Amino acid sequence: MEVKKLLCSTLREKPETMRASRKMGNIDINKLIRMGLNENAFGTSPKAIAAMQEMAAKGNTYQDWMQTDLKSAIAEHYGVGFENIVTGPGSSSVTDALGVAFLEPGDEVLLCMPTFPAIIDTAQNNGAKPVIIPTKEDLTYDLDGLLANINEHTKMVYICNPNNPIGTYVGIDALTAFAKKCPDHVIQVYDEAYIEFAEAEDCKEMVEVMKELKEKPIVLLKTFSKFYGMAGIRAGYILAQPELIEWLSKCGTQFALSKVSQAGAAAAMRDKEHGEYVKRENARSRAYLTEELKKLGCKVYPSQTNFIFFDPHVDPQEVSMKMMERGIMISAQAGANRVTVHRMEMCQLFIRYLTEILEEMRK
Ligand SMILES: Cc1ncc(COP(=O)(O)O)c(C=O)c1O
């Protein structure tokens, strides 16, 4: 069987991306302490767990197509209407919907690298060309560089804020100025997967800018995977102006959100107490890791997220392998390492192992 002959041409010609080529070999990651995937180590809201358990018992009937409860929770949280929301099983799937709705061969999608690479897949799956601008020297997003590269083929610009894998952010004033300058034919996509962890006063969600700049096609990518601790449950959404939402709704992702995910996501968003706990504990462990990594002589990038990007000044792949041998999974990418903020005892264990590893490697 020659499946390749059956493939649509965009997929046949698609280069292998970082995501598609990510392989774990024979390692069972469930046996590792997971500090490599930016999951929430502080857990899911107990209220969300109870809501999901209750809903799981009703799994024989279909979910609420209108998603009234989940959309009410999101609408209340952001002061938006149902017409500003489209959901899907994870932010990756609503990103795919953006591609289906808006991208076609000949289009360009602008982004800075290093960043979260899902948008590259989305572009290529739809025959569009990713145009990559390097980040600035301090690895923050280069907004002027992005503006300078916009042309008549540019259909979309993607900004991850705070940025994965670096953890740094662009302040709300700079982003607002960018949003105003961006021409109307360019869909501005702001991926705010980690923004709920942010503590800096000017690291803000773009929702008020989206509401104010009605004439601009602004899209906010949101997920329940990180701050709300529901990565395995799969729930995400887009906030945008109603006309964009109307077309995105036709791409079908919202019908893929199970009743269990809907109930869990709504309860998680309403559980402010658990949210405060997650934010506080994450900030405490993040401060500890930042301090200890600096003491070990690593270059540490300031993080507003639940991960820390650091240059160990030795081969990051080897650091990651040696850490894995000791039972902790971290990531090596973009010439450095990225470690997910975890509960304090895990952070202490990670620092103990890293001290050993760096001593070995620096000999
Ligand atoms: C910046 C960013 N956006 C989106 C996602 C994916 O989120 P989801 O689990 O909702 O698909 C991730 C996951 O790591 C991410 O880092």
Side-chain angles (χ1 to χ4, degrees), residues 19 37-38 89-93 95 116 118 158 160 162-164 191-194 221-226 231 234-236 307 338:
R19 292 185 99 204
L37 296 170
N38 301 342
S91 131
S92 313
S93 78
T95 307
F116 184 62
Y158 170 86
C160 184
N163 191 19
N164 179 15
D191 186 338
E192 300 183 335
Y194 299 95
L221 291 178
K222 300 286 194 179
T223 181
F224 284 92
S225 295
K226 308 298 178 179
R234 310 306 299 138
F307 57 84
R338 190 195 65 193

Side-chain angles (χ1 to χ4, degrees), residues 60-74:
N60 61 312
T61 58
Y62 281 113
Q63 72 273 40
D64 170 13
W65 303 117
M66 305 309 289
Q67 308 178 339
T68 313
D69 191 40
L70 175 56
K71 285 193 179 170
S72 300
I74 299 171

